[in-house]
Amino acid sequence: MSSGKVTLLSAGPGDVDLLTLRAARVLACADVVLLDDLANPEIATLAPSARVLRVGKRGGCRSTPQAFIERLMVRYARRGLHVVRVKGGDALMFGRAGEELAALRDAGIATAIVNGVSSAFAAANALGISLTHRAHCQGVTFVTAHLQDHREPDWSALAATRTTLAIYMGMSRLDALCAALGDALGPHTPGAVVQHAGGANERSVVARLDRLADAAHAAGLGSPAIILVGPAIAEARNASARPEATLARAA
């Protein structure tokens, strides 16, 4: 096994102060940092001795191929270096960590993982709600709107779980998503879109499903954003004041 290693590090949803202390310690001793496009670029200041490479992956944009990222990690680790792969949110939540861990293990590279705050939790914080409010639901389901084969998730089956739905990577399908969930849950079911959850530019809209897509479009919201759906969203700040509420991050 190579003397080098790779750490998959969770950058959190935005602000650098949402990094864990462990993440800061790992960055301080990194030799190479592979920085995800969704991670705050200020994170690089915590790795003063590292070579920093941007390896962005954004839906609908020019992205660094996943296979190339994996080759970079293996190449530098085999040189005996400590490679830190910085991922937005939590590294284990829809960040292709499974593919990267498999590639590293196949190559005989030592690996470590630093957990962090996922964007769904930052989105809940933005709205001032609990994703698992026991008066409204029995849990939370994390789901991506983009399956590997490009099919739509089974929204009816997800609606039947009676959980709050935290939907990642769904903005390009927001209209169809809201229509499908509205059919399954009812058009009056509350939902929210939170853009840049946990970051300085955080903005959100809260509306019932039959109005959520229009409200998000009118507010100019886009990716990266988390979509939250379910009765627990009714607890959001100001949500009951009017059918659509636009919330900005508190200073």
Side-chain angles (χ1 to χ4, degrees):
M1 182 174 284
S2 167
S3 59
K5 65 177 181 179
V6 175
T7 299
L8 303 186
L9 185 142
S10 304
D15 285 352
V16 173
D17 61 5
L18 291 176
L19 285 168
T20 64
L21 292 174
R22 183 182 178 193
R25 288 196 297 268
V26 168
L27 286 164
C29 62
D31 297 308
V32 178
V33 171
L34 303 182
L35 189 61
D36 184 78
D37 193 50
L38 292 177
N40 189 331
E42 293 179 12
I43 287 171
T45 64
L46 301 177
S49 301
R51 178 182 182 183
V52 179
L53 302 175
R54 300 297 296 268
V55 288
K57 296 186 72 63
R58 292 286 297 274
C61 302
R62 185 175 181 179
S63 300
T64 307
Q66 181 65 29
F68 180 70
I69 295 172
E70 292 165 9
R71 289 197 298 271
L72 280 179
M73 291 190 290
V74 171
R75 180 190 308 164
Y76 285 116
R78 282 180 170 164
R79 295 178 185 174
L81 302 176
H82 181 194
V83 181
V84 178
R85 169 75 165 109
V86 178
K87 295 171 169 290
D90 186 272
L92 302 182
M93 185 74 75
F94 302 123
R96 301 196 181 187
E99 298 166 48
E100 294 177 1
L101 287 169
L104 293 167
R105 288 165 181 163
D106 288 346
I109 305 298
T111 61
I113 299 170
V114 176
N115 293 116
V117 179
S118 179
S119 297
F121 298 114
N125 183 54
L127 301 176
I129 64 171
S130 167
L131 295 176
T132 57
H133 195 305
R134 65 179 185 173
H136 299 292
C137 63
Q138 57 188 26
V140 57
T141 299
F142 303 98
V143 59
T144 173
H146 289 273
L147 302 182
Q148 189 171 21
D149 59 5
H150 304 296
R151 289 184 300 111
E152 290 278 337
D154 187 339
W155 296 116
S156 295
L158 288 167
T161 63
R162 299 178 61 83
T163 61
T164 301
L165 300 180
I167 304 167
Y168 291 67
M169 296 171 281
M171 291 304 289
S172 66
R173 302 180 178 182
L174 183 60
D175 294 86
L177 181 158
C178 288
L181 286 174
D183 289 342
L185 293 169
H188 296 276
T189 302
V193 174
V194 184
Q195 183 182 35
H196 296 299
N201 298 321
E202 175 187 283
R203 295 173 63 231
S204 60
V205 295
V206 178
R208 51 193 241 187
L209 278 174
D210 60 350
R211 299 176 177 174
L212 181 60
D214 287 342
H217 296 322
L221 301 190
S223 298
I226 295 291
I227 304 162
L228 300 175
V229 175
I233 312 307
E235 300 290 334
R237 296 194 306 266
N238 301 327
S240 61
R242 49 198 171 97
E244 297 87 27
T246 302
L247 308 177
R249 188 181 188 190

